[in-house]
Structure formats: structure tokens, C-alpha cells
């Protein structure tokens, strides 16, 4: 593990900008759980006084109370009201009565009694209790952006009851209160995930000893000198551009923005859902069956050659389907590619429409400009 990863943790500031803090300033998560995170900065912390409830710094509450498999969780619906169960344990004495003798005296044993208490609370309260530093007299929670369902911890501010009433009436803004609010940071996986991605790119660029595992379509691909010399700069770029898409793994793509780029750099890369990246990937080459495999015998992407019929053709599987459709047979590779290109381009437009409003705008608009090239 790199020294940067050991000593630095990346978090979001109140404006959602990336900042680094010393890792020893972040609290260890004592009872970590595996659950799909909203983003690289989300952390689930067990609710104090409970055994089966966790709250995240984005206000998501999960529990495994009624689960036989305690590694699976139920996620509470977003709302104003949550019911949780707190656990209290007490050690009480058990006295064994009997006549004391020289060898036997009155003996006392203990047992643990467990009590469960129902508690009515809310997401904002759980987040405030877990992630906000508390101040004397400040007993109310104010949402800075006015959205009571946005319980991201840095959208919350502890205020007095009097100030809360003024805020509700619009007599004052939270900025005018000029209140300090400190937040409790817990260890997140943002930097470790980013370094894992970084090491994967280094491997594809043949900067590690794993060259034999690199696919041929990464020949001549490299990483920009800035990222090579300073891995932290890649981590910062990655976290600034990272977003989530359903349950998909997210990939770093170097081709969409720059058109089949041979270099990973801040200018050429973007982050895409794996399924979308797979649609864009076009590195598999086909060759004439009756010729040696070399540059001269390479066919346009998507095109195959039937040596028996001496015809060129293409296959396509439209996104979201499993049916492999064989297209027309042609006398030339150029004609076969022209048909393949039209079909592939239509598929790309359909995919872009489905992804619209769920991916960054600049990526969506770039998808509309993608040109299917023969080589």
C-alpha cells in the first residue's frame, strides 16, 4: 500500500469539494458492514446503543434486526420517522443460599440481563448524533439547503430553539447566524478504491510486472507523466469525477472524450458505468480467413469474412437484448462496415437516450458525437 494512502484521507468539504485530511484525524468504524455505498465518501456507522442499526453520513439507515443472515440488510425508506430498538445489558448478582461451612461460604454469581427499548427518531437526528459535534443549548437541526430529506451530514447545522424559530419564519438566514459547526469524520474507502483503480491502469499501461495479463488492445497505451509521478493527483481527479450508476462497477475510459486515445490523462479520461464502457469498447480484430493475421489482412471493426462464400458480413447484438443478429452479406469489407456502422450508431443513440439524466451532461453529449470507426 502506498504511503499516500496510509497517511491521507479524502473527504468532501461543505461545498462538496475534495479535501485531504490526515488519516489519524478520522475515527475508525468499529462495526463495519458491507452495503452498497451511494458514493466513495459514504460511511455507515452503527447507531449508538443499538446492535442492529447503522446510519450513513448521507442519512441512509439500514438494519439486520430480523435477518437470519446478518450480512444482509433492510434499508429504511426516506422519511421523517424511524423506529429503532436500543439494547441495554446489565450484570445482576445471583445468590446461592445455603448454610455456610468452613469449606463452603455464601457464593455469589452474576448473569447478564438484556433489555430492548423502542425508540422513535428520524434520519436527521441519527445523522446529527453520529456525525455532528454537539454544542450546549443547540438542540435543533437545520437543513442548510432547505430540503428536509437531504440529510447529508454537512447539510445539517445545530442551532438553538430560538434561532430555529427565526429560521422557520425567514427572519434570519443560517449564514447570518455565523455559527461554527464541526463534523466527525470516519474512515472511508475513497482513497483505497481510487488507488486500486490507479494500479489497474498502471498494469494496463505495462508499468507493472503483469504484462502477460494485459489484453492486446492496450498495446502502446500509456499513462500521462503527471499521474505517473504523482499518484495522488490521479486519486484527486478520480474522486472529483466519480459518480454512481445503479449497482454497476465504474470504469475509467480514455476513448470517449478524445477518440481512441492512447494515453490516460485528465484531459482524455472520464468515468463510465461498466455496461456503457463495454458498448464503446471495440478492440477485437477480425482477419481474412485465407490470409495471415497481420495489419494488411485486418478487417474493419465488426466485419467478418466468410472464406467459403467469399463474402463480408457483420453480427450485432443490440444493447439490452441477447439475440445475435447477422447482417447482410457483401462483396467488399467497406460495404459490410457501412451497414454495421449504421446499426451500431443507432444502438449508441438509443443507449444515450436511456442513460440521459443519469450520467453527467458532458458525457451524454459526447455519446451523441461518437463515430464508429473502421480501425
Amino acid at each position: 500500500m502506498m504511503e499516500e494512502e496510509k497517511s491521507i484521507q479524502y473527504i468532501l468539504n461543505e461545498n462538496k469539494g475534495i479535501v485531504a485530511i490526515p488519516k489519524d484525524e478520522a475515527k475508525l468504524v468499529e462495526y463495519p458492514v458491507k452495503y452498497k455505498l451511494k458514493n466513495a465518501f459514504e460511511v455507515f456507522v452503527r447507531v449508538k446503543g443499538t446492535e442492529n442499526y447503522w446510519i450513513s453520513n448521507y442519512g441512509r439507515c439500514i438494519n439486520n434486526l430480523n435477518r437470519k443472515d446478518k450480512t444482509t440488510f433492510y434499508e429504511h425508506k426516506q422519511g421523517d420517522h424511524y423506529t429503532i430498538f436500543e439494547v441495554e445489558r446489565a450484570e445482576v448478582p445471583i445468590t446461592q443460599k445455603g448454610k455456610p461451612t468452613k469449606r463452603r461460604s455464601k457464593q455469589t454469581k452474576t448473569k447478564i440481563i438484556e433489555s430492548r427499548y423502542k425508540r422513535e427518531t428520524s434520519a436527521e437526528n441519527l445523522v446529527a448524533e453520529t456525525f455532528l459535534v454537539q454544542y450546549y443549548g443547540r438542540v435543533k437541526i437545520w437543513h442548510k439547503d432547505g430540503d428536509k430529506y437531504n440529510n447529508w451530514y454537512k447539510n445539517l447545522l445545530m442551532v438553538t430553539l430560538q434561532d430555529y424559530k427565526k429560521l422557520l419564519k425567514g427572519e434570519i438566514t443560517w449564514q447570518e447566524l455565523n455559527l461554527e459547526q464541526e463534523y466527525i469524520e470516519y474512515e472511508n474507502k475513497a482513497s483505497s478504491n481510487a488507488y486500486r483503480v490507479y494500479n489497474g491502469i498502471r498494469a494496463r499501461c505495462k508499468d507493472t510486472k503483469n504484462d502477460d495479463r494485459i489484453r492486446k488492445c492496450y498495446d502502446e497505451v500509456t499513462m500521462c507523466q503527471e499521474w505517473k509521478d504523482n499518484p495522488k493527483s490521479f486519486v484527486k481527479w478520480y474522486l472529483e469525477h466519480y459518480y454512481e450508476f445503479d449497482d454497476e462497477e465504474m470504469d475509467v475510459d480514455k476513448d470517449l472524450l478524445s477518440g481512441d486515445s492512447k494515453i490516460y490523462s485528465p484531459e482524455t479520461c472520464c468515468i463510465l458505468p461498466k455496461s456503457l464502457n463495454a458498448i464503446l469498447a471495440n478492440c477485437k480484430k477480425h482477419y481474412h480467413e485465407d490470409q495471415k493475421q497481420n495489419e494488411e489482412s485486418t478487417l474493419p471493426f465488426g466485419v467478418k469474412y466468410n472464406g467459403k462464400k467469399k463474402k463480408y458480413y457483420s453480427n450485432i447484438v443490440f444493447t439490452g437484448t441477447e439475440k445475435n443478429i447477422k447482417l447482410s452479406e457483401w462483396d467488399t469489407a467497406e460495404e459490410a462496415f457501412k451497414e454495421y456502422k449504421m446499426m451500431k450508431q443507432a444502438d449508441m443513440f438509443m443507449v444515450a437516450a436511456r442513460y440521459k439524466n443519469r450520467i453527467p451532461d458532458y458525457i451524454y453529449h459526447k455519446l451523441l458525437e461518437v463515430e464508429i470507426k473502421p480501425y
Side-chain angles (χ1 to χ4, degrees), residues 120-136:
E120 309 300 336
T121 184
S122 65
E124 65 178 30
N125 280 320
L126 294 178
V127 172
E129 293 166 7
T130 309
F131 297 98
L132 272 63
V133 173
Q134 304 297 307
Y135 300 90
Y136 179 76

Side-chain angles (χ1 to χ4, degrees), residues 72-131:
T72 63
F73 299 88
Y74 166 78
E75 182 172 343
H76 296 238
K77 294 180 180 179
Q78 290 291 324
D80 298 326
H81 179 264
Y82 288 165
T83 299
I84 65 174
F85 290 89
E86 297 181 333
V87 177
E88 249 185 39
R89 288 189 175 86
E91 188 175 3
V92 298
I94 303 173
T95 303
Q96 293 182 345
K97 296 182 179 179
K99 294 181 179 180
T101 64
K102 291 181 180 179
R103 294 185 178 180
R104 181 182 175 188
S105 60
K106 196 172 183 179
Q107 296 181 354
T108 301
K109 292 185 177 181
T110 62
K111 68 175 181 179
I112 303 295
I113 294 180
E114 181 178 289
S115 302
R116 289 184 178 271
Y117 300 94
K118 182 189 289 188
R119 177 185 166 197
E120 309 300 336
T121 184
S122 65
E124 65 178 30
N125 280 320
L126 294 178
V127 172
E129 293 166 7
T130 309
F131 297 98

Side-chain angles (χ1 to χ4, degrees), residues 308-323:
K308 291 182 180 180
K309 294 184 177 182
K310 298 188 182 302
K311 294 287 185 177
Y312 298 88
Y313 68 97
S314 297
N315 293 322
I316 190 167
V317 179
F318 289 106
T319 306
T321 69
E322 297 180 358
K323 186 177 181 180

Side-chain angles (χ1 to χ4, degrees), residues 107-196:
Q107 296 181 354
T108 301
K109 292 185 177 181
T110 62
K111 68 175 181 179
I112 303 295
I113 294 180
E114 181 178 289
S115 302
R116 289 184 178 271
Y117 300 94
K118 182 189 289 188
R119 177 185 166 197
E120 309 300 336
T121 184
S122 65
E124 65 178 30
N125 280 320
L126 294 178
V127 172
E129 293 166 7
T130 309
F131 297 98
L132 272 63
V133 173
Q134 304 297 307
Y135 300 90
Y136 179 76
R138 289 159 62 175
V139 295
K140 298 292 289 183
I141 302 166
W142 183 255
H143 293 76
K144 296 177 182 177
D145 66 354
D147 181 359
K148 66 178 182 179
Y149 294 112
N150 179 8
N151 290 306
W152 180 51
Y153 69 136
K154 290 184 178 174
N155 187 46
L156 305 184
L157 174 70
M158 300 302 300
V159 300
T160 66
L161 179 58
Q162 183 179 6
D163 287 336
Y164 184 79
K165 291 178 179 179
K166 289 180 180 180
L167 288 165
L168 281 178
K169 293 177 181 178
E171 296 176 354
I172 195 171
T173 65
W174 69 268
Q175 294 94 335
E176 291 172 325
L177 292 176
N178 198 28
L179 292 175
E180 178 184 358
Q181 178 65 66
E182 293 184 75
Y183 300 93
I184 302 169
E185 303 293 349
Y186 287 83
E187 286 190 5
N188 63 45
K189 297 182 179 180
S191 60
S192 60
N193 288 342
Y195 276 107
R196 175 180 55 79

Side-chain angles (χ1 to χ4, degrees), residues 193-244:
N193 288 342
Y195 276 107
R196 175 180 55 79
V197 174
Y198 176 84
N199 290 331
I201 294 174
R202 287 289 296 268
R204 289 195 290 276
C205 295
K206 301 186 177 182
D207 287 327
T208 71
K209 296 179 180 179
N210 299 322
D211 292 358
D212 57 321
R213 297 187 299 176
I214 309 303
R215 295 184 298 173
K216 290 183 178 180
C217 55
Y218 285 98
D219 286 347
E220 300 178 6
V221 173
T222 187
M223 179 185 281
C224 70
Q225 201 62 43
E226 176 191 354
W227 284 355
K228 281 184 181 181
D229 294 341
N230 185 12
K232 187 171 69 172
S233 64
F234 169 85
V235 171
K236 192 170 185 295
W237 172 88
Y238 180 81
L239 296 177
E240 286 174 342
H241 292 81
Y242 187 82
Y243 61 97
E244 292 283 332

